[in-house]
Amino acid sequence: MTDITRYHRQTLFHPIGEVGQEKLANKHVLLIGCGALGSSAAEMLARAGIGELTLIDRDYVELTNLQRQHLFTEEDVKNKIPKVIAAVNKLQVINSEITINSVVMDATADNLADYIKKADLIIDATDNFDTRFVINDLAHKYRVPWIFGACVGSSGMTFTIIPGQTPCLNCLLKVTPVFGATCDAIGVIGPAVQMVVTHQVTEAIKILIDDTKHIRSQLIIFDLWNNHYQSIDVSRSKQANCTSCGGELPTFPSLSYQNQTKSEVLCGRDTVQIRGKQYSLGDLASMLSKYGEVQTNAFLVSVVIDSMRLVFFHDGRTFVHGTSSIEEAKKLYYQVIG
């Protein structure tokens, strides 16, 4: 039985109450991405008393994150701590009663399924549509609700997706325009992040306590700076022949190998990610030492070569900082690795 004393103000809110609080204590939320949206959503959910949180993220903390990404500090930047590790360290101090799992990895079609099957709900806190399409297909394959969210500049959007009931992401994008700009081009402000997170976490709590009649069915789009807010009925956008959610045998196209991204430019980072062979971090540190000073911790090894910095993760991923050219990044990567 959960000690609900700490949640007294939340249980006083009639739609939740003590019954709803007990339901929250027995639910598992999967957060994919632990940057601006993910770190804030994780903190809200931890404080609300969600029984189990699993955080997945591929990145480590950098100085530019601190402007909008909650839970991280300058010390995390200095030590190049993976975001999920830094987040869990803070969340465990906030609420020691809940279970919090940290997973340092790139979310792909190959490795996400096992995590999604165990979750009651997925919150999208990613920064790219390749991963969102994978989430969309896996969520429909395993019938797990998920909440889409995105923001750039002073604008944001969010939509709650219930397999078998609402349009899926593929359906939605065929009839609804999405942001053409990225945070790399026009930046992003913290309040826009918090607005998206507020909508996502509120919807999450409704779903987790089974308050189905109050789940929002509209797509929310806003621009805080220009004072715009829209709530759009997109129910008619559900496609009977959608390859992700339509018909009796959807094909889930984003889960096929040929549709998976092997190398990509990371949003707002002047950085290319390459997925390659796994190496021992100790072996990498020795191999890289001939290029200059090597920094290492339990999760990654990094070195600066000329004007670029290479960061190798334990799961075989490498970040090449200082370029947005996949070709240039691969050239340096293979020069170093062979």
Side-chain angles (χ1 to χ4, degrees):
M1 192 76 170
T2 301
D3 179 3
I4 63 172
T5 303
R6 69 184 298 158
Y7 308 112
H8 179 243
R9 298 298 187 276
Q10 188 164 278
T11 58
L12 285 177
F13 180 62
H14 180 71
I16 295 178
E18 293 187 8
V19 173
Q21 192 64 50
E22 285 298 325
K23 289 182 178 181
L24 293 179
N26 289 288
K27 294 298 174 68
H28 180 187
V29 175
L30 174 63
L31 270 155
I32 304 175
C34 198
L37 295 176
S39 58
S40 293
E43 181 178 351
M44 283 191 190
L45 291 169
R47 292 185 184 278
I50 303 302
E52 183 172 2
L53 289 173
T54 295
L55 312 182
I56 296 177
D57 193 276
R58 63 187 177 183
D59 209 350
Y60 59 94
V61 184
E62 294 192 284
L63 186 62
T64 57
N65 300 151
L66 303 185
Q67 166 255 341
R68 67 199 178 283
Q69 299 187 13
H70 287 208
L71 303 179
F72 306 142
T73 66
E74 293 178 356
E75 191 69 16
D76 297 324
V77 174
K78 177 182 177 181
N79 295 319
K80 292 184 170 60
I81 303 298
K83 289 182 178 180
V84 291
I85 303 299
V88 170
N89 289 342
K90 311 301 189 304
L91 294 172
Q92 288 175 334
V93 177
I94 290 170
N95 193 342
S96 61
E97 295 181 353
I98 65 175
T99 300
I100 313 173
N101 310 306
S102 60
V103 185
V104 184
M105 74 175 193
D106 191 20
T108 69
D110 294 328
N111 58 28
L112 264 185
D114 286 343
Y115 295 96
I116 284 178
K117 286 188 286 188
K118 297 173 184 176
D120 296 298
L121 175 73
I122 307 157
I123 291 184
D124 161 40
T126 62
D127 61 3
N128 68 89
F129 274 89
D130 286 340
T131 306
R132 290 185 178 112
F133 286 131
V134 169
I135 294 170
N136 186 63
D137 278 1
L138 286 172
H140 282 83
K141 183 175 182 178
Y142 297 109
R143 314 296 286 181
V144 180
W146 73 286
I147 305 173
F148 159 70
C151 59
V152 64
S154 59
S155 300
M157 57 171 44
T158 178
F159 183 64
T160 302
I161 299 172
I162 310 293
Q165 298 180 31
T166 68
C168 78
L169 186 64
N170 278 330
C171 297
L172 196 65
L173 296 187
K174 289 177 181 177
V175 299
T176 305
V178 296
F179 302 132
T182 68
C183 56
D184 186 21
I186 65 172
V188 63
I189 60 172
V193 172
Q194 295 306 310
M195 178 69 88
V196 173
V197 172
T198 296
H199 282 291
Q200 286 185 301
V201 174
T202 303
E203 287 301 292
I205 293 173
K206 293 177 190 176
I207 292 170
L208 295 171
I209 67 170
D210 303 314
D211 189 0
T212 55
K213 68 179 180 180
H214 287 112
I215 295 173
R216 188 186 63 244
S217 60
Q218 295 82 26
L219 169 69
I220 298 298
I221 301 177
F222 65 83
D223 183 337
L224 293 177
W225 203 265
N226 293 298
N227 306 310
H228 297 157
Y229 188 95
Q230 291 180 284
S231 180
I232 305 170
D233 182 358
V234 293
S235 57
R236 293 185 180 181
S237 66
K238 186 170 175 57
Q239 306 289 311
N241 61 348
C242 176
T243 54
S244 294
C245 73
E248 296 183 1
L249 293 172
T251 58
F252 306 122
S254 295
L255 306 185
S256 63
Y257 180 79
Q258 61 267 27
N259 288 332
Q260 296 175 31
T261 303
K262 313 307 183 298
S263 300
E264 60 185 304
V265 180
L266 303 186
C267 175
R269 300 287 299 282
D270 194 26
T271 298
V272 172
Q273 173 180 266
I274 298 171
R275 296 178 193 159
K277 181 180 177 182
Q278 287 182 263
Y279 292 90
S280 157
L281 293 184
D283 291 344
L284 278 170
S286 298
M287 182 169 56
L288 296 172
S289 61
K290 64 183 179 181
Y291 294 101
E293 182 181 354
V294 174
Q295 288 186 284
T296 183
N297 60 35
F299 309 98
L300 55 85
V301 174
S302 70
V303 66
V304 175
I305 302 176
D306 296 327
S307 61
M308 289 185 275
R309 185 169 87 252
L310 285 81
V311 181
F312 296 84
F313 294 84
H314 66 89
D315 61 357
R317 292 179 299 114
T318 301
F319 285 177
V320 183
H321 295 287
T323 181
S324 295
S325 166
I326 290 176
E327 292 73 19
E328 186 179 14
K330 283 185 174 180
K331 180 179 179 180
L332 180 59
Y333 173 83
Y334 288 120
Q335 176 188 322
V336 171
I337 295 297

